Amino acid sequence: MGLTYVDRGSAYWWRRAGLTLFWFFLTVLSGVMAVGVTLGVGEAGPTLLIVTSSLYAALSLGVGWTTALAIRSADRFGVGSGSFEESRWGVFMGKLDERLAWFAVILVVALPIVFGAMLPLLVRSFGRYTIGERHQRRQLGLDA
């Protein structure tokens, strides 16, 4: 965890590239599967297509929002630091994540959840630091 891009070394950048490709693969795979299921449902009629698309959009946005907030808290407080998880907001987010996870029992419903969870992770992997790294760098005194 050097101070510059050069100090981090090639092994660090290979891991980061692999992580980004992993999130890209999962995001594309779940997105293609969701589109395929939606197109298949669309053949049954426009009403079912609207309901399925609305459900997918709501679940993807809901899980994407909670995942983005979890990423933000990891950047601010560290991963598993306890301070966020013990706060009222952290308890609420934990309960919300549990309730949203129940939808993953049915594969068709799991597709937008996976897509909604993977997309923020993919976007964040293009950032300067990986998730939680900023907090670790602050603890080590590498960032002000």
Side-chain angles (χ1 to χ4, degrees):
M1 294 214 328
L3 292 174
T4 66
Y5 290 106
V6 176
D7 292 339
R8 293 181 181 179
S10 63
Y12 173 83
W13 293 109
W14 281 110
R15 284 192 309 271
R16 286 290 302 269
L19 181 67
T20 300
L21 288 174
F22 173 72
W23 294 129
F24 177 75
F25 172 74
L26 288 180
T27 303
V28 168
L29 179 68
S30 61
V32 167
M33 290 171 69
V35 168
V37 169
T38 304
L39 291 175
V41 167
E43 293 176 4
T47 305
L48 192 55
L49 177 64
I50 291 170
V51 169
T52 303
S53 298
S54 300
L55 178 66
Y56 275 22
L59 288 173
S60 290
L61 290 174
V63 174
W65 178 69
T66 60
T67 303
L69 288 178
I71 290 170
R72 182 172 180 260
S73 70
D75 285 342
R76 292 180 68 202
F77 305 112
V79 179
S81 65
S83 59
F84 176 75
E85 289 85 0
E86 294 168 1
S87 69
R88 288 182 188 171
W89 184 247
V91 171
F92 168 75
M93 292 303 296
K95 289 180 180 177
L96 183 61
D97 280 340
E98 287 176 20
R99 289 188 176 96
L100 287 173
W102 278 103
F103 288 110
V105 176
I106 302 171
L107 178 62
V108 173
V109 178
L111 295 175
I113 292 175
V114 171
F115 181 78
M118 294 303 116
L119 186 61
L121 291 167
L122 171 66
V123 170
R124 183 63 173 90
S125 72
F126 287 105
R128 183 175 178 188
Y129 303 116
T130 188
I131 298 168
E133 184 179 352
R134 181 178 293 158
H135 176 75
Q136 296 300 321
R137 292 178 61 82
R138 279 192 213 126
Q139 281 188 329
L140 295 172
L142 298 175
D143 285 343

